[in-house]
Short mmCIF file of all heavy atoms in Angstrom, two decimals:
data_model
loop_
_atom_site.label_atom_id
_atom_site.label_comp_id
_atom_site.label_asym_id
_atom_site.label_seq_id
_atom_site.Cartn_x
_atom_site.Cartn_y
_atom_site.Cartn_z
N MET A 1 -233.02 -58.93 -120.05
CA MET A 1 -232.14 -59.63 -120.91
C MET A 1 -231.24 -58.57 -121.60
O MET A 1 -231.74 -57.44 -122.11
CB MET A 1 -232.99 -60.32 -121.99
CG MET A 1 -232.65 -61.59 -122.42
SD MET A 1 -233.74 -62.35 -123.63
CE MET A 1 -233.63 -63.95 -123.10
N THR A 2 -230.03 -58.85 -121.75
CA THR A 2 -229.11 -57.91 -122.46
C THR A 2 -229.25 -58.08 -123.97
O THR A 2 -229.90 -58.96 -124.46
CB THR A 2 -227.69 -58.16 -122.06
OG1 THR A 2 -227.20 -59.52 -122.67
CG2 THR A 2 -227.37 -58.31 -120.54
N ASP A 3 -228.75 -57.05 -124.64
CA ASP A 3 -228.81 -57.01 -126.09
C ASP A 3 -228.12 -58.31 -126.70
O ASP A 3 -228.61 -58.91 -127.72
CB ASP A 3 -228.11 -55.79 -126.72
CG ASP A 3 -228.95 -54.62 -126.55
OD1 ASP A 3 -230.16 -54.73 -126.25
OD2 ASP A 3 -228.44 -53.49 -126.72
N ASN A 4 -227.00 -58.70 -126.07
CA ASN A 4 -226.32 -59.99 -126.55
C ASN A 4 -227.06 -61.26 -126.37
O ASN A 4 -227.16 -62.05 -127.11
CB ASN A 4 -224.90 -60.10 -125.83
CG ASN A 4 -223.95 -59.02 -126.37
OD1 ASN A 4 -224.12 -58.45 -127.45
ND2 ASN A 4 -222.96 -58.84 -125.52
N GLN A 5 -227.85 -61.20 -125.21
CA GLN A 5 -228.77 -62.37 -124.91
C GLN A 5 -229.90 -62.46 -125.93
O GLN A 5 -230.25 -63.52 -126.38
CB GLN A 5 -229.19 -62.32 -123.42
CG GLN A 5 -228.16 -62.66 -122.45
CD GLN A 5 -228.66 -62.39 -121.08
OE1 GLN A 5 -229.32 -61.44 -120.84
NE2 GLN A 5 -228.28 -63.29 -120.19
N ILE A 6 -230.45 -61.25 -126.20
CA ILE A 6 -231.52 -61.26 -127.13
C ILE A 6 -231.09 -61.70 -128.53
O ILE A 6 -231.68 -62.44 -129.19
CB ILE A 6 -232.19 -59.79 -127.19
CG1 ILE A 6 -232.92 -59.54 -125.85
CG2 ILE A 6 -233.14 -59.61 -128.38
CD1 ILE A 6 -233.35 -58.18 -125.74
N GLU A 7 -229.88 -61.17 -129.00
CA GLU A 7 -229.35 -61.44 -130.29
C GLU A 7 -229.19 -62.97 -130.34
O GLU A 7 -229.39 -63.60 -131.33
CB GLU A 7 -228.14 -60.69 -130.51
CG GLU A 7 -227.59 -60.88 -131.96
CD GLU A 7 -226.44 -59.87 -132.21
OE1 GLU A 7 -226.30 -58.98 -131.61
OE2 GLU A 7 -225.72 -60.25 -133.21
N ALA A 8 -228.60 -63.54 -129.33
CA ALA A 8 -228.17 -65.01 -129.32
C ALA A 8 -229.52 -65.86 -129.34
O ALA A 8 -229.57 -66.79 -130.08
CB ALA A 8 -227.42 -65.37 -128.05
N LYS A 9 -230.52 -65.50 -128.58
CA LYS A 9 -231.74 -66.24 -128.63
C LYS A 9 -232.41 -66.10 -129.95
O LYS A 9 -233.04 -67.07 -130.54
CB LYS A 9 -232.73 -65.69 -127.53
CG LYS A 9 -234.04 -66.50 -127.47
CD LYS A 9 -234.72 -66.40 -126.10
CE LYS A 9 -235.87 -67.32 -126.19
NZ LYS A 9 -236.23 -67.74 -124.80
N TYR A 10 -232.41 -64.89 -130.54
CA TYR A 10 -233.03 -64.65 -131.84
C TYR A 10 -232.39 -65.50 -133.00
O TYR A 10 -233.00 -66.16 -133.76
CB TYR A 10 -233.00 -63.14 -132.19
CG TYR A 10 -233.59 -62.86 -133.64
CD1 TYR A 10 -234.97 -62.91 -133.83
CD2 TYR A 10 -232.74 -62.48 -134.73
CE1 TYR A 10 -235.62 -62.69 -135.00
CE2 TYR A 10 -233.34 -62.16 -135.96
CZ TYR A 10 -234.70 -62.24 -136.06
OH TYR A 10 -235.31 -61.94 -137.34
N LYS A 11 -230.98 -65.58 -132.82
CA LYS A 11 -230.21 -66.38 -133.77
C LYS A 11 -230.55 -67.79 -133.72
O LYS A 11 -230.68 -68.47 -134.62
CB LYS A 11 -228.72 -66.11 -133.65
CG LYS A 11 -227.87 -66.82 -134.57
CD LYS A 11 -226.39 -66.62 -134.41
CE LYS A 11 -225.48 -67.35 -135.41
NZ LYS A 11 -226.02 -68.52 -136.04
N SER A 12 -230.64 -68.25 -132.40
CA SER A 12 -231.05 -69.72 -132.27
C SER A 12 -232.38 -70.01 -132.75
O SER A 12 -232.61 -71.12 -133.39
CB SER A 12 -230.81 -70.09 -130.75
OG SER A 12 -231.97 -69.60 -130.01
N ILE A 13 -233.33 -69.16 -132.61
CA ILE A 13 -234.68 -69.36 -133.22
C ILE A 13 -234.62 -69.33 -134.80
O ILE A 13 -235.22 -70.13 -135.40
CB ILE A 13 -235.70 -68.26 -132.66
CG1 ILE A 13 -235.91 -68.44 -131.17
CG2 ILE A 13 -236.94 -68.24 -133.41
CD1 ILE A 13 -236.74 -67.44 -130.55
N CYS A 14 -233.83 -68.42 -135.29
CA CYS A 14 -233.71 -68.33 -136.72
C CYS A 14 -233.13 -69.62 -137.27
O CYS A 14 -233.47 -70.14 -138.38
CB CYS A 14 -232.85 -67.13 -137.18
SG CYS A 14 -233.79 -65.57 -136.92
N ASP A 15 -232.07 -70.17 -136.63
CA ASP A 15 -231.44 -71.33 -137.04
C ASP A 15 -232.41 -72.57 -136.98
O ASP A 15 -232.37 -73.41 -137.76
CB ASP A 15 -230.20 -71.65 -136.08
CG ASP A 15 -228.96 -70.74 -136.31
OD1 ASP A 15 -228.94 -70.00 -137.33
OD2 ASP A 15 -228.12 -70.67 -135.47
N LYS A 16 -233.27 -72.51 -135.89
CA LYS A 16 -234.22 -73.64 -135.78
C LYS A 16 -235.25 -73.59 -136.91
O LYS A 16 -235.62 -74.63 -137.48
CB LYS A 16 -234.96 -73.54 -134.41
CG LYS A 16 -235.82 -74.65 -134.10
CD LYS A 16 -236.35 -74.39 -132.61
CE LYS A 16 -237.23 -75.55 -132.11
NZ LYS A 16 -237.62 -75.32 -130.76
N LEU A 17 -235.73 -72.42 -137.29
CA LEU A 17 -236.65 -72.12 -138.31
C LEU A 17 -236.09 -72.29 -139.72
O LEU A 17 -236.70 -72.77 -140.62
CB LEU A 17 -237.34 -70.78 -138.26
CG LEU A 17 -238.21 -70.57 -137.10
CD1 LEU A 17 -238.55 -69.04 -137.00
CD2 LEU A 17 -239.49 -71.34 -137.17
N GLY A 18 -234.79 -71.96 -139.89
CA GLY A 18 -234.11 -71.89 -141.22
C GLY A 18 -234.38 -70.56 -141.94
O GLY A 18 -234.08 -70.36 -143.10
N PHE A 19 -234.94 -69.53 -141.33
CA PHE A 19 -235.14 -68.21 -141.90
C PHE A 19 -235.54 -67.31 -140.74
O PHE A 19 -235.65 -67.59 -139.70
CB PHE A 19 -236.45 -68.29 -142.84
CG PHE A 19 -237.66 -68.79 -142.26
CD1 PHE A 19 -238.48 -67.94 -141.58
CD2 PHE A 19 -238.05 -70.11 -142.40
CE1 PHE A 19 -239.67 -68.36 -140.98
CE2 PHE A 19 -239.17 -70.53 -141.65
CZ PHE A 19 -240.06 -69.64 -141.03
N GLU A 20 -235.57 -65.95 -141.02
CA GLU A 20 -235.89 -64.99 -140.15
C GLU A 20 -237.41 -64.82 -140.12
O GLU A 20 -238.06 -64.84 -141.18
CB GLU A 20 -235.19 -63.63 -140.40
CG GLU A 20 -233.78 -63.64 -140.17
CD GLU A 20 -233.13 -62.30 -140.22
OE1 GLU A 20 -233.52 -61.52 -139.32
OE2 GLU A 20 -232.33 -61.95 -141.10
N PRO A 21 -238.05 -64.76 -138.94
CA PRO A 21 -239.51 -64.81 -138.77
C PRO A 21 -240.23 -63.79 -139.66
O PRO A 21 -241.31 -64.04 -140.10
CB PRO A 21 -239.72 -64.62 -137.24
CG PRO A 21 -238.54 -65.17 -136.73
CD PRO A 21 -237.40 -64.86 -137.68
N TYR A 22 -239.69 -62.55 -139.78
CA TYR A 22 -240.37 -61.49 -140.43
C TYR A 22 -240.48 -61.83 -141.92
O TYR A 22 -241.24 -61.14 -142.60
CB TYR A 22 -239.67 -60.11 -140.21
CG TYR A 22 -238.37 -59.99 -141.03
CD1 TYR A 22 -238.34 -59.40 -142.21
CD2 TYR A 22 -237.17 -60.35 -140.36
CE1 TYR A 22 -237.14 -59.26 -142.87
CE2 TYR A 22 -235.99 -60.21 -141.05
CZ TYR A 22 -235.97 -59.69 -142.26
OH TYR A 22 -234.83 -59.53 -142.94
N GLN A 23 -239.74 -62.74 -142.42
CA GLN A 23 -239.74 -63.10 -143.97
C GLN A 23 -241.00 -63.74 -144.32
O GLN A 23 -241.32 -63.86 -145.51
CB GLN A 23 -238.45 -63.89 -144.32
CG GLN A 23 -237.31 -63.07 -144.11
CD GLN A 23 -236.10 -63.92 -144.35
OE1 GLN A 23 -235.96 -65.10 -144.01
NE2 GLN A 23 -235.01 -63.34 -145.03
N VAL A 24 -241.68 -64.41 -143.38
CA VAL A 24 -242.94 -65.08 -143.68
C VAL A 24 -244.03 -64.15 -143.95
O VAL A 24 -244.46 -63.33 -143.13
CB VAL A 24 -243.37 -66.13 -142.57
CG1 VAL A 24 -244.68 -66.71 -142.89
CG2 VAL A 24 -242.26 -67.19 -142.43
N LYS A 25 -244.68 -64.24 -145.11
CA LYS A 25 -245.83 -63.42 -145.53
C LYS A 25 -247.00 -64.34 -145.74
O LYS A 25 -246.95 -65.27 -146.50
CB LYS A 25 -245.58 -62.55 -146.78
CG LYS A 25 -244.32 -61.63 -146.68
CD LYS A 25 -244.54 -60.56 -145.60
CE LYS A 25 -243.32 -59.67 -145.55
NZ LYS A 25 -242.99 -59.26 -144.25
N GLU A 26 -248.12 -63.97 -145.00
CA GLU A 26 -249.30 -64.75 -145.13
C GLU A 26 -250.09 -64.46 -146.44
O GLU A 26 -250.21 -63.25 -146.72
CB GLU A 26 -250.13 -64.54 -143.95
CG GLU A 26 -251.37 -65.37 -143.97
CD GLU A 26 -252.35 -65.15 -142.73
OE1 GLU A 26 -251.93 -64.33 -141.91
OE2 GLU A 26 -253.48 -65.65 -142.76
N ASP A 27 -250.29 -65.39 -147.21
CA ASP A 27 -251.14 -65.19 -148.44
C ASP A 27 -252.57 -65.05 -148.01
O ASP A 27 -253.14 -65.94 -147.33
CB ASP A 27 -250.97 -66.44 -149.33
CG ASP A 27 -249.58 -66.49 -150.03
OD1 ASP A 27 -248.85 -65.37 -150.08
OD2 ASP A 27 -249.15 -67.61 -150.40
N VAL A 28 -253.08 -64.01 -148.33
CA VAL A 28 -254.57 -63.73 -148.13
C VAL A 28 -255.30 -64.01 -149.37
O VAL A 28 -255.10 -63.43 -150.43
CB VAL A 28 -254.77 -62.28 -147.68
CG1 VAL A 28 -256.20 -61.97 -147.45
CG2 VAL A 28 -253.87 -62.00 -146.47
N GLY A 29 -256.18 -64.93 -149.22
CA GLY A 29 -257.06 -65.44 -150.30
C GLY A 29 -258.51 -65.36 -150.02
O GLY A 29 -258.95 -64.99 -148.88
N ASP A 30 -259.30 -65.91 -150.83
CA ASP A 30 -260.73 -65.98 -150.63
C ASP A 30 -261.16 -67.30 -150.01
O ASP A 30 -262.35 -67.43 -149.79
CB ASP A 30 -261.51 -65.71 -151.90
CG ASP A 30 -261.17 -66.71 -152.97
OD1 ASP A 30 -260.18 -67.47 -152.81
OD2 ASP A 30 -261.79 -66.74 -154.01
N HIS A 31 -260.18 -68.19 -149.71
CA HIS A 31 -260.51 -69.41 -149.08
C HIS A 31 -259.42 -69.83 -148.13
O HIS A 31 -258.29 -69.42 -148.30
CB HIS A 31 -260.89 -70.52 -150.05
CG HIS A 31 -259.73 -70.89 -150.96
ND1 HIS A 31 -259.29 -70.19 -152.00
CD2 HIS A 31 -258.81 -71.95 -150.91
CE1 HIS A 31 -258.25 -70.70 -152.54
NE2 HIS A 31 -258.01 -71.84 -151.87
N GLU A 32 -259.68 -70.78 -147.33
CA GLU A 32 -258.60 -71.37 -146.39
C GLU A 32 -257.90 -72.47 -147.11
O GLU A 32 -258.51 -73.30 -147.72
CB GLU A 32 -259.30 -71.83 -145.15
CG GLU A 32 -258.34 -72.32 -144.10
CD GLU A 32 -259.04 -72.69 -142.79
OE1 GLU A 32 -260.10 -72.21 -142.46
OE2 GLU A 32 -258.49 -73.62 -142.17
N ASP A 33 -256.50 -72.42 -146.96
CA ASP A 33 -255.71 -73.38 -147.59
C ASP A 33 -255.36 -74.54 -146.50
O ASP A 33 -254.50 -74.29 -145.69
CB ASP A 33 -254.51 -72.80 -148.22
CG ASP A 33 -253.69 -73.81 -148.88
OD1 ASP A 33 -253.94 -75.04 -148.97
OD2 ASP A 33 -252.57 -73.46 -149.50
N ASP A 34 -255.99 -75.57 -146.60
CA ASP A 34 -255.72 -76.70 -145.64
C ASP A 34 -254.37 -77.33 -145.80
O ASP A 34 -253.89 -78.13 -144.96
CB ASP A 34 -256.76 -77.78 -145.57
CG ASP A 34 -258.10 -77.18 -145.07
OD1 ASP A 34 -258.06 -76.23 -144.33
OD2 ASP A 34 -259.23 -77.84 -145.43
N ASN A 35 -253.69 -77.12 -146.88
CA ASN A 35 -252.43 -77.69 -147.28
C ASN A 35 -251.25 -76.88 -146.63
O ASN A 35 -250.12 -77.31 -146.65
CB ASN A 35 -252.28 -77.90 -148.68
CG ASN A 35 -253.28 -78.91 -149.21
OD1 ASN A 35 -253.51 -79.90 -148.63
ND2 ASN A 35 -253.86 -78.54 -150.32
N TRP A 36 -251.55 -75.61 -146.26
CA TRP A 36 -250.48 -74.73 -145.77
C TRP A 36 -250.10 -75.26 -144.34
O TRP A 36 -250.91 -75.52 -143.49
CB TRP A 36 -250.96 -73.42 -145.64
CG TRP A 36 -249.91 -72.38 -145.15
CD1 TRP A 36 -249.04 -71.83 -145.90
CD2 TRP A 36 -249.85 -71.76 -143.82
NE1 TRP A 36 -248.24 -70.96 -145.13
CE2 TRP A 36 -248.76 -70.90 -143.88
CE3 TRP A 36 -250.56 -71.99 -142.67
CZ2 TRP A 36 -248.33 -70.17 -142.73
CZ3 TRP A 36 -250.18 -71.16 -141.57
CH2 TRP A 36 -249.09 -70.24 -141.63
N GLU A 37 -248.81 -75.38 -144.24
CA GLU A 37 -248.20 -75.76 -142.87
C GLU A 37 -247.55 -74.64 -142.19
O GLU A 37 -246.86 -73.83 -142.74
CB GLU A 37 -247.17 -76.89 -143.12
CG GLU A 37 -247.64 -78.20 -143.56
CD GLU A 37 -246.72 -79.28 -143.58
OE1 GLU A 37 -245.79 -79.34 -142.80
OE2 GLU A 37 -246.81 -80.11 -144.41
N ASN A 38 -247.96 -74.39 -141.00
CA ASN A 38 -247.44 -73.22 -140.15
C ASN A 38 -245.96 -73.55 -139.88
O ASN A 38 -245.60 -74.41 -139.11
CB ASN A 38 -248.15 -73.09 -138.95
CG ASN A 38 -247.77 -71.86 -138.06
OD1 ASN A 38 -246.80 -71.25 -138.43
ND2 ASN A 38 -248.53 -71.60 -137.03
N PRO A 39 -245.04 -72.64 -140.40
CA PRO A 39 -243.63 -72.84 -140.22
C PRO A 39 -243.23 -72.58 -138.77
O PRO A 39 -242.21 -73.04 -138.32
CB PRO A 39 -242.99 -71.88 -141.17
CG PRO A 39 -243.94 -70.82 -141.38
CD PRO A 39 -245.32 -71.56 -141.31
N PHE A 40 -244.13 -71.93 -138.00
CA PHE A 40 -243.73 -71.65 -136.58
C PHE A 40 -244.14 -72.74 -135.69
O PHE A 40 -243.92 -72.60 -134.41
CB PHE A 40 -244.37 -70.31 -136.19
CG PHE A 40 -243.85 -69.17 -136.98
CD1 PHE A 40 -244.69 -68.56 -138.02
CD2 PHE A 40 -242.59 -68.64 -136.88
CE1 PHE A 40 -244.28 -67.59 -138.75
CE2 PHE A 40 -242.15 -67.59 -137.62
CZ PHE A 40 -242.95 -67.01 -138.58
N ALA A 41 -244.84 -73.75 -136.19
CA ALA A 41 -245.28 -74.91 -135.33
C ALA A 41 -244.12 -75.60 -134.57
O ALA A 41 -244.43 -76.23 -133.52
CB ALA A 41 -246.16 -75.91 -136.10
N ILE A 42 -242.94 -75.54 -135.11
CA ILE A 42 -241.83 -76.21 -134.41
C ILE A 42 -241.32 -75.40 -133.22
O ILE A 42 -240.55 -75.92 -132.51
CB ILE A 42 -240.72 -76.40 -135.41
CG1 ILE A 42 -240.04 -75.19 -135.97
CG2 ILE A 42 -241.16 -77.34 -136.56
CD1 ILE A 42 -238.72 -75.39 -136.71
N LEU A 43 -241.74 -74.15 -133.12
CA LEU A 43 -241.24 -73.37 -131.89
C LEU A 43 -242.11 -73.75 -130.69
O LEU A 43 -243.28 -73.92 -130.83
CB LEU A 43 -241.36 -71.91 -132.24
CG LEU A 43 -240.54 -71.40 -133.43
CD1 LEU A 43 -240.84 -69.85 -133.58
CD2 LEU A 43 -239.06 -71.62 -133.28
N ASN A 44 -241.48 -73.56 -129.48
CA ASN A 44 -242.18 -73.76 -128.27
C ASN A 44 -242.81 -72.40 -127.90
O ASN A 44 -242.54 -71.39 -128.46
CB ASN A 44 -241.38 -74.41 -127.19
CG ASN A 44 -240.18 -73.50 -126.79
OD1 ASN A 44 -240.33 -72.26 -126.69
ND2 ASN A 44 -238.98 -74.11 -126.66
N PHE A 45 -243.70 -72.43 -126.85
CA PHE A 45 -244.42 -71.19 -126.38
C PHE A 45 -243.46 -70.16 -126.06
O PHE A 45 -243.66 -68.94 -126.41
CB PHE A 45 -245.28 -71.51 -125.24
CG PHE A 45 -246.02 -70.36 -124.70
CD1 PHE A 45 -247.11 -69.83 -125.33
CD2 PHE A 45 -245.61 -69.68 -123.56
CE1 PHE A 45 -247.74 -68.66 -124.93
CE2 PHE A 45 -246.20 -68.59 -123.09
CZ PHE A 45 -247.33 -68.03 -123.80
N ASP A 46 -242.38 -70.40 -125.33
CA ASP A 46 -241.46 -69.42 -124.86
C ASP A 46 -240.80 -68.66 -126.03
O ASP A 46 -240.51 -67.49 -126.07
CB ASP A 46 -240.41 -69.97 -123.97
CG ASP A 46 -240.92 -70.39 -122.64
OD1 ASP A 46 -241.89 -69.72 -122.14
OD2 ASP A 46 -240.30 -71.30 -122.02
N GLU A 47 -240.46 -69.43 -127.06
CA GLU A 47 -239.83 -68.81 -128.40
C GLU A 47 -240.85 -67.99 -129.06
O GLU A 47 -240.41 -66.85 -129.53
CB GLU A 47 -239.34 -69.93 -129.33
CG GLU A 47 -238.16 -70.81 -128.61
CD GLU A 47 -237.83 -72.07 -129.37
OE1 GLU A 47 -238.79 -72.67 -129.93
OE2 GLU A 47 -236.65 -72.48 -129.33
N ILE A 48 -242.06 -68.41 -129.21
CA ILE A 48 -243.09 -67.61 -129.92
C ILE A 48 -243.23 -66.28 -129.04
O ILE A 48 -243.40 -65.24 -129.65
CB ILE A 48 -244.32 -68.34 -130.09
CG1 ILE A 48 -244.05 -69.48 -131.15
CG2 ILE A 48 -245.54 -67.49 -130.45
CD1 ILE A 48 -245.23 -70.48 -131.23
N ASP A 49 -243.41 -66.50 -127.72
CA ASP A 49 -243.57 -65.32 -126.82
C ASP A 49 -242.47 -64.33 -126.91
O ASP A 49 -242.66 -63.17 -126.94
CB ASP A 49 -243.75 -65.86 -125.43
CG ASP A 49 -244.40 -64.88 -124.53
OD1 ASP A 49 -245.35 -64.21 -124.95
OD2 ASP A 49 -244.06 -64.82 -123.30
N PHE A 50 -241.19 -64.83 -126.96
CA PHE A 50 -240.07 -63.99 -127.14
C PHE A 50 -240.11 -63.15 -128.40
O PHE A 50 -239.83 -61.92 -128.47
CB PHE A 50 -238.85 -64.86 -127.25
CG PHE A 50 -237.49 -64.14 -127.60
CD1 PHE A 50 -236.86 -63.31 -126.70
CD2 PHE A 50 -237.12 -64.20 -128.87
CE1 PHE A 50 -235.67 -62.64 -127.09
CE2 PHE A 50 -235.90 -63.49 -129.35
CZ PHE A 50 -235.25 -62.75 -128.42
N LEU A 51 -240.45 -63.87 -129.61
CA LEU A 51 -240.59 -63.12 -130.92
C LEU A 51 -241.74 -62.11 -130.78
O LEU A 51 -241.56 -60.94 -131.25
CB LEU A 51 -240.92 -64.15 -132.04
CG LEU A 51 -239.79 -65.03 -132.34
CD1 LEU A 51 -240.35 -66.01 -133.41
CD2 LEU A 51 -238.53 -64.39 -132.91
N TYR A 52 -242.89 -62.40 -130.20
CA TYR A 52 -244.01 -61.49 -130.05
C TYR A 52 -243.50 -60.25 -129.23
O TYR A 52 -243.84 -59.20 -129.56
CB TYR A 52 -245.20 -62.21 -129.58
CG TYR A 52 -246.41 -61.41 -129.44
CD1 TYR A 52 -247.09 -60.99 -130.67
CD2 TYR A 52 -246.82 -60.88 -128.28
CE1 TYR A 52 -248.22 -60.10 -130.50
CE2 TYR A 52 -247.92 -60.05 -128.13
CZ TYR A 52 -248.66 -59.63 -129.17
OH TYR A 52 -249.64 -58.85 -129.10
N ASP A 53 -243.12 -60.49 -128.08
CA ASP A 53 -242.75 -59.51 -127.06
C ASP A 53 -241.71 -58.51 -127.65
O ASP A 53 -241.67 -57.33 -127.20
CB ASP A 53 -242.21 -60.10 -125.76
CG ASP A 53 -243.38 -60.77 -124.97
OD1 ASP A 53 -244.60 -60.51 -125.23
OD2 ASP A 53 -243.05 -61.47 -123.96
N ASN A 54 -240.80 -58.97 -128.52
CA ASN A 54 -239.82 -58.19 -128.97
C ASN A 54 -240.05 -57.67 -130.39
O ASN A 54 -239.33 -57.04 -131.07
CB ASN A 54 -238.44 -58.84 -129.03
CG ASN A 54 -237.96 -59.12 -127.64
OD1 ASN A 54 -237.50 -58.21 -126.90
ND2 ASN A 54 -238.00 -60.38 -127.15
N GLY A 55 -241.30 -57.86 -130.85
CA GLY A 55 -241.74 -57.31 -132.19
C GLY A 55 -240.93 -57.90 -133.36
O GLY A 55 -240.83 -57.26 -134.39
N LEU A 56 -240.48 -59.18 -133.21
CA LEU A 56 -239.59 -59.75 -134.27
C LEU A 56 -240.38 -60.55 -135.33
O LEU A 56 -239.75 -61.04 -136.22
CB LEU A 56 -238.54 -60.60 -133.58
CG LEU A 56 -237.65 -59.85 -132.64
CD1 LEU A 56 -236.74 -60.74 -131.80
CD2 LEU A 56 -236.79 -58.87 -133.44
N PHE A 57 -241.70 -60.54 -135.20
CA PHE A 57 -242.43 -61.21 -136.34
C PHE A 57 -242.47 -60.17 -137.50
O PHE A 57 -242.70 -60.68 -138.61
CB PHE A 57 -243.83 -61.63 -135.90
CG PHE A 57 -243.96 -62.84 -135.03
CD1 PHE A 57 -244.42 -62.87 -133.83
CD2 PHE A 57 -243.66 -64.05 -135.78
CE1 PHE A 57 -244.44 -64.04 -133.13
CE2 PHE A 57 -243.78 -65.31 -135.12
CZ PHE A 57 -244.19 -65.30 -133.76
N ASN A 58 -242.40 -58.93 -137.18
CA ASN A 58 -242.63 -57.95 -138.25
C ASN A 58 -241.36 -57.32 -138.73
O ASN A 58 -241.36 -56.69 -139.80
CB ASN A 58 -243.53 -56.84 -137.73
CG ASN A 58 -244.92 -57.36 -137.36
OD1 ASN A 58 -245.40 -58.28 -138.01
ND2 ASN A 58 -245.50 -56.77 -136.31
N LYS A 59 -240.27 -57.45 -137.97
CA LYS A 59 -238.99 -56.86 -138.39
C LYS A 59 -237.85 -57.75 -137.81
O LYS A 59 -238.06 -58.47 -136.81
CB LYS A 59 -238.84 -55.45 -137.91
CG LYS A 59 -238.87 -55.33 -136.35
CD LYS A 59 -238.62 -53.96 -135.93
CE LYS A 59 -238.75 -53.72 -134.45
NZ LYS A 59 -238.08 -54.56 -133.59
N GLY A 60 -236.80 -57.70 -138.46
CA GLY A 60 -235.64 -58.39 -138.00
C GLY A 60 -234.93 -57.63 -136.80
O GLY A 60 -235.45 -56.64 -136.31
N LEU A 61 -233.94 -58.24 -136.24
CA LEU A 61 -233.18 -57.63 -135.12
C LEU A 61 -232.36 -56.45 -135.78
O LEU A 61 -231.58 -56.62 -136.56
CB LEU A 61 -232.14 -58.68 -134.60
CG LEU A 61 -231.84 -58.49 -133.12
CD1 LEU A 61 -233.02 -58.31 -132.11
CD2 LEU A 61 -231.02 -59.61 -132.60
N SER A 62 -232.59 -55.26 -135.17
CA SER A 62 -231.88 -54.06 -135.75
C SER A 62 -230.46 -54.05 -135.14
O SER A 62 -230.18 -54.28 -134.05
CB SER A 62 -232.58 -52.86 -135.33
OG SER A 62 -233.98 -52.77 -135.72
N LYS A 63 -229.60 -53.69 -135.98
CA LYS A 63 -228.11 -53.48 -135.57
C LYS A 63 -228.04 -52.06 -135.16
O LYS A 63 -228.47 -51.15 -135.75
CB LYS A 63 -227.20 -53.71 -136.75
CG LYS A 63 -227.32 -55.11 -137.32
CD LYS A 63 -226.76 -56.11 -136.33
CE LYS A 63 -226.76 -57.50 -136.91
NZ LYS A 63 -226.75 -58.50 -135.90
N LYS A 64 -227.50 -51.90 -133.91
CA LYS A 64 -227.34 -50.59 -133.32
C LYS A 64 -226.01 -50.03 -133.57
O LYS A 64 -225.07 -50.60 -133.82
CB LYS A 64 -227.63 -50.68 -131.75
CG LYS A 64 -228.95 -51.04 -131.50
CD LYS A 64 -229.28 -51.20 -130.03
CE LYS A 64 -230.68 -51.58 -129.77
NZ LYS A 64 -231.01 -51.72 -128.42
#
């Protein structure tokens, strides 16, 4: 995948989510919150795999 293709796919995923994936911070507490909805549930496997493989859950797309 070229840099332009990666950038385009990342932008389309961000548009679908409404935010950049690295912005989600999991609240760590002493109990499980059953009311919390996973914002990534709307992504398909390929989109999640793309974010994971490119390390984009932890950081945004770097401008070169």
